[in-house]
Amino acid sequence: MSDAQTVYLALGSNVGDRARQLHTALRLLRELATVEATSFLYETPPAYVTDQPPFLNAACRVTTDLTPHALLAALKGIEETMGRVKTIRFGPRNIDLDIIFYGDSQIASAELTIPHPRLAERAFVLEPLCDLAPDLRDPVSGQTIRHLLAQLHEPPLPKVMPLTCQGQPRLWQWGAQTRIVGIINLTPDSFTGDGLWQSDGGATPQVIARAVALAERLVAEGADCIDIGGQSTRPGHQVIPVEEEIARTAPVVNAVAQAVNVPVSIDTFRAPVAAASLAAGATLINDIWGLAFDPRIGRIAAEEGCALVVMHNRTHNDDPAYQQHLSAERPAATYTDIIQDIATELQTQLATAQQLGLPRWLLITDPGIGFGKSTEQHLALLRRLNELKAMLGYPLLIGASRKGFIGKLLGDLPPAARDEGTLALGVLALERGADLLRVHNVQAMSRAAHMADAVLAQG
């Protein structure tokens, strides 16, 4: 055994459910080392042997007491456990784990060469490493990872997020198009008045049928995802029992997930609801508290390999159980610099998510429009959204649809009359880096986003 060392590993897969294979490998890695951080996920064409499927590639930083050769043996053990079959060199494999750096060590033996001998020619290794440590220096060449990648003069690799839809793996490629998230409210007290719920108790066949019909319409209008919520978060809302939230959402999630060919998200801040919804068919969790209310959501998402939206939210209350009736107005928080403050707080939440086992490629950020911010603060945030995106680097979701500050700016308009304002904010947000827009009026936003994407597309 040696002192704990910082090690960088490359992960790849191009056989079977590639994302699931990588997730399993990370879980097994955590049994022999401390996984400190992961990169984003990239889909890349095969190298060297080109007649095979594309790869998913990532990197991670770990600390371990294992010696380099002992670590190599442990990694080969993981590959064997996962059923890797030896084929031709550089051929297809369900999992591939390589040691790129082991501290500052330089090793050249029959079994192991560190740093990895082909590092400088592999964008599919360098780009994930840049997510983790762009200024890390290769101890052989003395050059930084950032510089080695720039020397390849290759276009950026596409970042992707794995999701599951009707039991089949699916990838979202970030930057290719703006994703539209359609809203289904299973509440009697939605601020927009569009809630499908009309009475207490479990989901009735009538409610389920209306939800499925709405989901099918939203998908036909351009929704890339359906977000289902059973707990209102409007100012002045009453928190319902967990059992009631599950009774509202789980049957609808199950029916919608079977009916539409897009991923289904559960909008909740409570772990039991998230778990029940994932079991029912949801593949994404939208947590308005960003793990601050119930960190167990992060562990559940990590165990299931499920994507998670981490939202910025300063609407704290004095009751940690969050069971009292909140005041009718949400007072705006005080910010020193709204972009820097939101970025700092979101970075803390994102680090928590990774510590709970979620890889970076399963995380989406949300600056929390409508939660603890004044009209002026919302405008400042939206004006400088590109700064926030640059600071965070993660996919960015904007949920401004029909929010109160839109109505206020347009002359105290009711929620149903705020769609034009929502469209304007959506187009401005995507131009400033938003990747997902969560909206009520899917058809209008989908058309506007498609037009804006076409104008902004690189020729």
Side-chain angles (χ1 to χ4, degrees):
M1 287 292 203
S2 64
D3 294 334
Q5 292 284 338
T6 298
V7 180
Y8 289 87
L9 303 174
L11 303 85
S13 174
N14 76 332
V15 174
D17 187 340
R18 300 170 297 169
R20 178 59 60 182
Q21 304 275 15
L22 296 179
H23 199 78
T24 299
L26 276 177
R27 177 177 57 79
L28 295 174
L29 273 173
R30 289 188 175 91
E31 297 177 6
L32 59 93
T34 300
V35 179
E36 295 184 333
T38 54
S39 70
F40 290 109
L41 190 63
Y42 298 84
E43 186 171 44
T44 64
Y48 310 115
V49 177
T50 58
D51 186 18
Q52 58 178 316
F55 277 81
L56 289 184
N57 290 105
C60 66
R61 182 178 70 242
V62 308
T63 55
T64 179
D65 291 329
L66 294 174
T67 64
H69 285 83
L71 177 60
L72 175 65
L75 296 180
K76 297 303 179 187
I78 290 175
E79 292 178 346
E80 183 177 348
T81 296
M82 293 182 60
R84 176 171 172 175
V85 176
K86 289 289 185 181
T87 60
I88 61 173
R89 192 179 189 202
F90 304 126
R93 52 258 198 215
N94 68 319
I95 190 65
D96 191 24
L97 303 174
D98 287 326
I99 303 172
I100 307 302
F101 295 114
Y102 184 98
D104 292 326
S105 298
Q106 298 183 45
I107 299 172
S109 70
E111 301 83 16
L112 180 63
T113 302
I114 297 177
H116 195 282
R118 293 181 180 82
L119 172 66
E121 66 190 50
R122 293 182 168 184
F124 61 85
V125 174
L126 291 170
E127 192 142 357
L129 283 176
C130 265
D131 294 334
L132 297 169
D135 296 319
L136 179 69
R137 290 190 179 275
D138 170 18
V140 174
S141 68
Q143 298 184 55
T144 65
I145 300 301
R146 191 198 314 269
H147 185 67
L148 289 172
L149 180 60
Q151 284 183 321
L152 294 179
H153 301 291
E154 295 184 10
L157 296 173
K159 292 179 182 175
V160 296
M161 172 175 282
L163 295 160
T164 303
C165 182
Q166 297 184 341
Q168 298 300 313
R170 179 173 295 188
L171 291 179
W172 275 0
Q173 181 178 324
W174 300 120
Q177 68 179 86
T178 304
R179 301 284 176 178
I180 306 300
V181 180
I183 299 169
I184 293 183
N185 284 315
L186 299 175
T187 59
D189 55 345
S190 167
F191 83 94
T192 61
D194 65 343
L196 299 181
W197 213 259
Q198 296 178 351
S199 62
D200 295 334
T204 65
Q206 293 78 14
V207 168
I208 293 174
R210 288 200 298 272
V212 168
L214 176 56
E216 291 174 336
R217 177 171 66 80
L218 294 177
V219 171
E221 292 175 349
D224 298 289
C225 177
I226 300 297
D227 191 38
I228 297 172
Q231 166 64 62
S232 175
T233 55
R234 64 178 293 169
H237 71 275
Q238 181 71 45
V239 176
I240 61 176
V242 169
E243 297 76 14
E244 184 175 348
E245 188 179 353
I246 293 173
R248 287 182 181 182
T249 54
V252 173
V253 166
N254 182 258
V256 169
Q258 294 182 60
V260 299
N261 193 29
V262 300
V264 174
S265 165
I266 178 64
D267 181 359
T268 188
F269 51 82
R270 297 192 283 194
V273 181
S277 297
L278 295 186
T283 59
L284 191 152
I285 302 170
N286 184 8
D287 179 7
I288 67 161
W289 284 94
L291 304 180
F293 177 79
D294 194 343
R296 293 176 299 167
I297 283 182
R299 196 166 300 281
I300 289 168
E303 290 170 356
E304 296 296 326
C306 165
L308 174 70
V309 178
V310 176
M311 197 186 88
H312 176 266
N313 190 343
R314 278 194 180 181
T315 56
H316 298 299
N317 60 80
D318 296 328
D319 182 358
Y322 200 67
Q323 294 300 311
Q324 87 281 16
H325 190 278
L326 302 184
S327 64
E329 295 295 330
R330 291 192 180 106
T334 300
Y335 294 91
T336 303
D337 180 296
I338 191 165
I339 297 300
Q340 184 62 62
D341 292 354
I342 290 175
T344 298
E345 291 163 29
L346 277 174
Q347 285 164 343
T348 298
Q349 294 167 280
L350 293 162
T352 297
Q354 288 210 48
Q355 290 164 8
L356 291 170
L358 266 173
R360 188 183 308 217
W361 62 76
L362 288 177
L363 294 169
I364 297 170
T365 55
D366 180 342
I369 290 176
F371 291 82
K373 301 170 182 73
S374 68
T375 297
E376 291 72 22
Q377 289 168 343
H378 280 121
L379 293 176
L381 166 59
L382 290 161
R383 288 186 190 113
R384 299 172 58 196
L385 196 63
N386 55 334
E387 295 178 45
L388 181 66
K389 178 66 178 285
M391 288 180 183
L392 295 171
Y394 286 78
L396 186 63
L397 181 148
I398 295 297
S401 185
R402 299 178 180 174
K403 290 291 174 72
F405 79 100
I406 297 175
K408 181 177 180 181
L409 283 168
L410 298 180
D412 294 322
L413 293 179
R418 298 171 186 169
D419 282 350
E420 293 91 344
T422 299
L423 291 174
L425 290 183
V427 170
L428 290 168
L430 72 86
E431 190 271 336
R432 287 163 169 78
D435 299 280
L436 305 101
L437 302 174
R438 182 180 179 272
V439 295
H440 299 85
N441 190 334
V442 165
Q443 184 176 77
M445 191 71 258
S446 178
R447 290 174 176 173
H450 186 77
M451 190 72 250
D453 285 341
V455 172
L456 296 169
Q458 296 293 323

